[in-house]
Amino acid sequence: MFTTMTNALTLPRSVEWNETSVSLLDQQLLPNKVEYIELKTIKDVWDAIVTLKVRGAPAIGITAAFGLALAAQQYHVQSIDTFRQKLAADQAYLASSRPTAVNLFWALERVVKSVANASSVNEAKTLVTHEAIQIQVEDEATCYRIGDYALSLFNKQDRIMTICNAGSIATAYYGTALAPFHLAKERDIPLQVFACETRPVLQGSRLTAWELQQSGVDVTLITDNMAAHTIKTKNINAIIVGADRIAANGDTANKIGTYGLALLAKAFNIPFYVAAPKSTFDLSIKSGQNIPIEERSAKEITHIADIQIAPDGIAVYNPAFDVTPSELITAIITEYGIIHAPSEETIGQSLT
Ligand code: MRU
């Protein structure tokens, strides 16, 4: 069913493992500079996640897994029990970086579990590194499959809206919500993308517009408050977004503004799709009510590029994510297929 990966994309990878350091595409500098920074310590990794130098649920998980591998390489211990204790402490430290994207906790847990049966420190060091690399390798294949399934939902010349950046740089490669656009480009299928700029930190204009432009996708940038008018005047056919955490019933946390787009999709009677890997599902959480929503610094709203645009002392509310109820979601696209009308039942059937 799937064509082989042609990998004709020329996008830079967001994260690379270098044995003694992690190379990270600094997403805070995009689109003006394409620059890599070297992360040498676990604190460098924690800081990079907190300051959004790397962001996007799968990329955060991959980077954190490499962060744990980096830390483990630097343990000077003899006993495997001490090794495991230090690994657990570093897992907790990295897990404190951001609260909403469940891929972070999932990836860290995978790395920690990989040493469950290790009998020596050397063996454990090899296992953690191997597991982190494996998470990245699997995510690329996963994203390709998501892109393939998502593309099957679109027709030639469709005009599709998206928000935030659920693209190649938010994952190992290809992306989730943006994967169908990269694949469409590789296969010469014309699609038109409308990207919301995504206030407050502009992942849409800085990252999605840049990423799609790099691979030659037809992309038009709009501000978030132009969404309704654009759906109407440009005859948008569908909306597709990524996810940071999906509860057992399908309620989906994603970048702030996603819920509003889902309501618009309902009002205009167009499909609203979520594209996400299995690692973004948190089946331990019954509904979106239990998803922790990160609130970030007021400065993200009061300033743009370090220029103050709001009065001193203004009260600010800055939730980074919102939760879209599953009844507003037409389908969730995973690497296992398309879950139409997501619910506890349909998700359970598809993923377990
Ligand atoms: O705050 P961010 O930039 O990490 O938020 C990212 C998103 O909301 C993405 O849509 C989501 O993580 C999916 S990335 C494939």
Side-chain angles (χ1 to χ4, degrees):
M1 163 174 195
F2 299 104
T3 52
T4 49
M5 291 185 213
T6 54
N7 220 349
L9 286 185
T10 51
L11 288 166
R13 286 179 186 276
S14 54
V15 195
E16 276 171 15
W17 172 248
N18 291 333
E19 302 299 332
T20 54
S21 68
V22 177
S23 277
L24 197 73
L25 176 66
D26 187 342
Q27 298 193 31
Q28 283 290 26
L29 299 180
L30 288 170
N32 299 323
K33 281 188 193 157
V34 180
E35 226 171 76
Y36 282 82
I37 48 172
E38 288 301 301
L39 310 178
K40 296 200 168 96
T41 66
I42 187 169
K43 171 141 191 345
D44 291 346
V45 172
W46 189 88
D47 284 342
I49 296 173
V50 170
T51 57
L52 309 184
K53 289 185 172 65
V54 60
R55 31 66 50 203
I60 291 171
I62 293 162
T63 308
F66 283 139
L68 209 47
L70 204 57
Q73 301 315 318
Q74 294 163 11
Y75 297 161
H76 297 293
V77 296
Q78 306 298 325
S79 126
I80 183 68
D81 287 342
T82 316
F83 180 97
R84 284 203 191 91
Q85 279 160 17
K86 285 176 80 66
L87 200 64
D90 284 338
Q91 174 189 20
Y93 172 60
L94 286 169
S96 71
S97 56
R98 292 193 76 188
T100 305
V102 78
N103 304 62
L104 169 66
F105 314 105
W106 169 87
L108 290 170
E109 193 61 27
R110 251 185 85 163
V111 172
V112 168
K113 277 193 179 149
S114 73
V115 299
N117 297 320
S119 50
S120 73
V121 169
N122 274 349
E123 185 193 352
K125 285 186 178 182
T126 307
L127 286 169
V128 288
T129 305
H130 177 82
E131 194 66 20
I133 293 170
Q134 196 53 28
I135 288 170
Q136 187 179 38
V137 168
E138 285 172 20
D139 189 60
E140 177 170 342
T142 290
C143 287
Y144 189 88
R145 292 169 78 93
I146 289 172
D148 229 345
Y149 280 122
L151 192 52
S152 74
L153 295 166
F154 301 143
N155 297 306
K156 272 184 193 172
Q157 312 290 0
D158 269 0
R159 289 166 299 277
I160 302 146
M161 187 172 283
T162 191
I163 188 168
C164 195
N165 173 272
S168 190
I169 57 171
T171 63
Y173 213 62
Y174 292 106
T176 55
L178 299 192
F181 307 131
H182 292 305
L183 295 192
K185 187 69 204 170
E186 282 186 350
R187 297 171 194 178
D188 274 334
I189 301 167
L191 295 174
Q192 202 181 344
V193 182
F194 286 82
C196 296
E197 68 173 352
T198 320
R199 277 282 283 152
V201 293
L202 304 171
Q203 291 95 331
S205 59
R206 291 188 304 105
L207 307 178
T208 294
W210 172 83
E211 176 178 323
L212 294 181
Q213 211 179 44
Q214 293 300 301
S215 55
V217 174
D218 182 347
V219 55
T220 301
L221 180 64
I222 60 166
T223 66
D224 300 345
N225 54 355
M226 294 172 187
H229 181 74
T230 305
I231 292 170
K232 188 172 173 186
T233 55
K234 298 289 180 188
N235 296 315
I236 297 294
N237 301 96
I239 298 175
I240 188 166
V241 302
D244 288 86
R245 195 185 295 222
I246 304 174
N249 71 346
D251 291 353
T252 295
N254 191 50
K255 180 53 53 186
I256 192 74
T258 300
Y259 181 22
L261 290 185
L263 289 166
L264 286 179
K266 185 176 179 179
F268 284 98
N269 199 23
I270 56 173
F272 181 85
Y273 299 123
V274 171
K278 187 179 177 189
S279 54
T280 300
F281 285 76
D282 182 353
L283 300 181
S284 74
I285 281 182
K286 260 191 123 33
S287 80
Q289 272 190 336
N290 309 102
I291 300 178
I293 299 296
E294 177 180 15
E295 285 187 36
R296 294 185 58 87
S297 152
K299 202 173 169 203
E300 289 184 348
I301 292 186
T302 58
H303 290 63
I304 293 184
D306 267 341
I307 295 170
Q308 190 169 337
I309 54 155
D312 282 338
I314 189 71
V316 166
Y317 176 46
N318 183 17
F321 302 95
D322 56 28
V323 175
T324 300
S326 62
E327 52 273 21
L328 292 177
I329 300 171
T330 311
I332 301 178
I333 305 144
T334 76
E335 66 272 38
Y336 295 98
I338 300 167
I339 309 172
H340 295 280
S343 66
E344 196 162 344
E345 203 190 353
T346 55
I347 289 171
Q349 280 162 2
S350 176
L351 293 187
T352 48

